[in-house]
Amino acid sequence: MVGRRHLPEDILVDILLRLPVEPLLRFRCVSKRWYALIKSPSFIEKHFHHKNNRARLLICNLTMSLDEGMSIDFSLLPDKIVPDVHPELKILHQLRRVTGFNSVAGPVDGLFLLEKVEPNPEDDNSLALWNPATREFWPLPPVTFELQPFRDQNYQFALGFDPSARDYKVLWIRQFWDDVSPNCLVNVYSLRNNSWKNLKPEFPYCCSLHNPIGATHLNGVYYWLSGRLDNKSCRICSFDMCSEQFGEMQGPVFPNAQWGKLMLRGDSLALVVGVDPCKPTSIYDVWVMNQHESSWTKVLTVQPLIKVSHLPRGVGEDDKMIFQIDETSQLVLYDPTTRQITDLGFQLDLIYGRSWVSNYKESLVPIRRGNDSQGEDNAVEQIEQFFNRFEKAYGPRGCYLKN
């Protein structure tokens, strides 16, 4: 009897790299060889950056009703969107009757950071890491900040990757004002160590950070727009995930800009600015940071043909931008090449609803470092338990996750 012949390693890798995450998770059971290959860090990285693993716009839509309570849908837009036709959405996950959900940050390498409000106002909010593709869910341990005699003015989260230690980290910045000056407290979480540690940054500009569009993490560094946007230029604050140090650099110089948001444009840091984004006649300029953070170049000017007030919410491939219509809370896609506008079919909750828009790619990046048997089969139960800790204080509410 002729024995089975194995495919050469290079051919096997080339075939597997072209597949989505879901079949790859099943194929780990084929043999020890396939298991070791699919779990290897080199394969995971190659798969994430493979040309077949294209980025798609993901929208997290939060709604509220008296009957159902809080509901959250995570929806993927298709690769190609036909103008004037509502796109067919792929529902990644649905959370029903959720209590305490507050925000989602990311993605970084396919991982998201979820935030939950705790019932006791004296307790800090809870955080968890989540990989939608592998359906892994990992609640972070509680964080401890130094006690302060005043409440937070603001806070920021950042999810990033330390390439030197091959470790994912979460940064938590609490910003406040005392009687004299701005201050901030900082803690950083290490997934490898599963623990928090306190940092003492001597960097005042981390006390006035602005939320970006999506996750502005690039090559082990996270970026925020810092301070006040004036008519000359802006400051950009950074945090290096390797050295765990804050930094600052000068942003581009632009006249008359009154509004701005940092974002990623492909593999580059970008800044979108406008004079008055609330006006129907708004014009937006997109600036991209050149290599080595030395200079900025204006690469795009967009004047969407939207006759009512609107705000940019996200940017996809080919510079297609998502805008939220203020009056109706609709989300629309604007193609700057064809200048066509397409309604995405999202009707956001005008009163309580919120949404998050991001560029998402599937990822095999593992969250757990232990037993594989704790994987996707327990994701539903773990998310329910994560939110039901809040529920025990306020009465019976369920949390259901549908694939």
Side-chain angles (χ1 to χ4, degrees):
M1 182 176 66
V2 180
R4 290 185 304 171
R5 293 183 179 180
H6 292 292
L7 284 172
E9 187 78 10
D10 57 339
I11 296 178
L12 176 62
V13 170
D14 184 64
I15 294 173
L16 295 180
L17 285 175
R18 299 170 185 269
L19 300 178
V21 167
E22 187 172 354
L24 290 174
L25 296 178
R26 297 196 303 267
F27 291 164
R28 293 180 302 182
C29 301
V30 170
S31 67
K32 291 183 179 179
R33 178 191 178 208
W34 284 36
Y35 177 88
L37 172 62
I38 295 172
K39 293 281 289 185
S40 66
S42 61
F43 181 86
I44 292 173
E45 184 174 358
K46 289 178 182 178
H47 179 268
F48 183 76
H49 295 289
H50 195 274
K51 62 181 180 180
N52 282 17
N53 189 23
R54 296 187 59 184
R56 295 167 63 181
L57 284 168
L58 182 145
I59 298 176
C60 171
N61 185 22
L62 183 152
T63 58
M64 183 81 72
S65 70
L66 294 177
D67 296 331
E68 295 294 330
M70 186 184 297
S71 298
I72 305 156
D73 291 341
F74 293 89
S75 307
L76 273 178
L77 294 176
D79 288 331
K80 295 183 179 179
I81 296 178
V82 179
D84 300 324
V85 177
H86 285 184
E88 183 176 350
L89 304 175
K90 177 184 178 181
I91 304 298
L92 279 186
H93 294 286
Q94 292 178 322
L95 294 170
R96 293 291 178 257
R97 300 184 66 84
V98 175
T99 307
F101 185 96
N102 198 48
S103 70
V104 57
V108 173
D109 295 344
L111 305 183
F112 287 92
L113 181 70
L114 305 183
E115 179 197 6
K116 176 176 73 73
V117 176
E118 291 294 343
N120 187 347
E122 300 299 323
D123 293 337
D124 289 310
N125 294 353
S126 296
L127 301 175
L129 291 173
W130 177 44
N131 184 334
T134 63
R135 298 186 290 278
E136 285 186 292
F137 185 80
W138 183 257
L140 274 56
V143 62
T144 302
F145 283 98
E146 297 177 5
L147 294 177
Q148 298 293 329
F150 34 76
R151 299 185 64 84
D152 291 4
Q153 179 192 18
N154 197 4
Y155 61 88
Q156 294 276 346
F157 298 116
L159 172 61
F161 180 66
D162 177 352
S164 63
R166 301 199 63 82
D167 186 17
Y168 288 91
K169 296 181 178 180
V170 175
L171 188 70
W172 188 335
I173 305 173
R174 295 177 67 164
Q175 307 152 311
F176 58 88
W177 282 76
D178 58 21
D179 294 334
V180 180
S181 61
N183 285 282
C184 61
L185 299 173
V186 178
N187 269 272
V188 62
Y189 168 81
S190 163
L191 179 60
R192 170 171 290 184
N193 300 326
N194 192 32
S195 62
W196 293 89
K197 71 176 179 180
N198 180 261
L199 300 181
K200 297 186 181 296
E202 296 181 358
F203 193 73
Y205 298 117
C206 68
C207 295
S208 54
L209 306 179
H210 304 286
N211 287 321
I213 296 176
T216 44
H217 171 268
L218 189 65
N219 301 326
V221 180
Y222 205 96
Y223 298 91
W224 300 267
L225 195 63
S226 172
R228 183 178 179 180
L229 191 68
D230 55 33
N231 290 334
K232 296 181 180 179
S233 63
C234 62
R235 291 192 302 267
I236 294 175
C237 174
S238 63
F239 181 79
D240 191 310
M241 295 288 170
C242 300
S243 64
E244 298 182 350
Q245 297 291 320
F246 285 93
E248 183 199 11
M249 63 181 178
Q250 194 70 28
V253 176
F254 34 71
N256 304 321
Q258 300 173 358
W259 177 93
K261 287 280 188 180
L262 275 183
M263 63 181 186
L264 291 184
R265 182 178 183 263
D267 294 326
S268 300
L269 185 67
L271 176 64
V272 54
V273 296
V275 176
D276 189 350
C278 293
K279 290 185 177 180
T281 56
S282 296
I283 300 176
Y284 304 93
D285 292 331
V286 178
W287 296 73
V288 170
M289 185 178 72
N290 299 321
Q291 198 172 12
H292 308 305
E293 305 178 357
S294 57
S295 61
W296 292 74
T297 302
K298 186 168 73 170
V299 296
L300 184 67
T301 296
V302 177
Q303 186 175 13
L305 302 177
I306 303 176
K307 298 180 180 180
V308 293
S309 61
H310 52 273
L311 277 173
R313 294 299 311 277
V315 180
E317 291 187 340
D318 302 323
D319 294 318
K320 295 178 181 178
M321 300 182 69
I322 290 183
F323 291 92
Q324 179 175 333
I325 307 301
D326 290 342
E327 189 174 306
T328 61
S329 284
Q330 292 172 282
L331 292 181
V332 300
L333 184 74
Y334 176 73
D335 188 333
T337 303
T338 63
R339 307 194 75 182
Q340 290 182 309
I341 300 169
T342 302
D343 186 354
L344 296 179
F346 284 88
Q347 188 66 49
L348 307 182
D349 191 321
L350 285 169
I351 300 176
Y352 300 106
R354 286 182 291 166
S355 64
W356 295 263
V357 180
S358 57
N359 284 296
Y360 171 71
K361 293 173 66 174
E362 284 192 337
S363 169
L364 285 162
V365 170
I367 296 177
R368 296 178 181 82
R369 297 293 189 260
N371 190 353
D372 286 326
S373 65
Q374 298 176 347
E376 56 267 19
D377 292 339
N378 291 331
V380 175
E381 179 181 350
Q382 292 197 8
I383 294 181
E384 286 179 353
Q385 291 176 353
F386 182 72
F387 285 103
N388 285 347
R389 291 204 305 266
F390 188 104
E391 165 191 323
K392 292 178 182 178
Y394 284 94
R397 294 216 175 179
C399 172
Y400 303 98
L401 178 65
K402 300 180 181 178
N403 293 329

